[in-house]
């Protein structure tokens, strides 16, 4: 199991869409990567587009037998993930 960490930007919104998809698509193409860990340690803001990107990544990962986890979420970002019930789809680690 090889885990790759992708640091999510402080302001995670639709403006991150192109870069986020390019980075995650590259990780999904790498046969060595079995887990993509989204590092939320610096995230202070995320919107519904960001939540959609995370859910879509999880669906793409599942289709190729990969796993997505969220780690180090805190404050408002953690609260938003909780309210959006993201843990129903993706493991959230402290």
């Amino acid at each position: 199991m090889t885990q790759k960490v992708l640091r999510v930007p402080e302001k995670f919104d639709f403006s991150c869409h192109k870069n986020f998809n390019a980075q995650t698509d590259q990780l999904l193409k790498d046969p060595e990567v079995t887990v993509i860990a989204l590092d939320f340690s610096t995230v202070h803001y995320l919107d519904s587009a960001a939540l959609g990107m995370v859910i879509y990544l999880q669906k793409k990962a599942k289709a190729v037998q990969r796993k997505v986890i969220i780690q180090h979420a805190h404050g408002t970002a953690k609260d938003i993930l909780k309210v959006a019930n993201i843990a129903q789809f993706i493991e959230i680690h402290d």
Side-chain angles (χ1 to χ4, degrees), residues 64-83:
V64 292
Q65 291 79 47
R66 308 290 168 76
K67 185 175 183 178
V68 176
I69 64 171
I70 294 173
Q71 58 188 21
H72 310 303
H74 59 89
T76 303
K78 187 173 188 175
D79 293 344
I80 291 170
L81 292 170
K82 188 174 184 175
V83 168

Side-chain angles (χ1 to χ4, degrees), residues 9-26:
E10 186 175 315
K11 184 179 180 189
F12 188 31
D13 60 12
F14 186 75
S15 69
C16 304
H17 181 261
K18 189 174 182 179
N19 190 36
F20 182 80
N21 283 343
Q23 290 179 325
T24 56
D25 285 350
Q26 194 66 31

Side-chain angles (χ1 to χ4, degrees), residues 1-5 24-38 57-58 60-70 90-91 93:
M1 175 174 104
T2 301
Q3 177 174 301
K4 289 289 184 178
V5 177
T24 56
D25 285 350
Q26 194 66 31
L27 291 173
L28 289 172
K29 289 178 187 174
D30 185 339
E32 297 294 314
V33 177
T34 56
V35 177
I36 298 173
L38 300 177
L57 168 61
Q58 192 277 335
K60 291 191 295 186
K62 187 175 181 180
V64 292
Q65 291 79 47
R66 308 290 168 76
K67 185 175 183 178
V68 176
I69 64 171
I70 294 173
I90 300 170
E91 287 181 30
H93 301 261

Side-chain angles (χ1 to χ4, degrees), residues 40-51:
F40 269 60
S41 61
T42 63
V43 178
H44 294 289
Y45 173 85
L46 68 153
D47 65 5
S48 59
L51 294 173

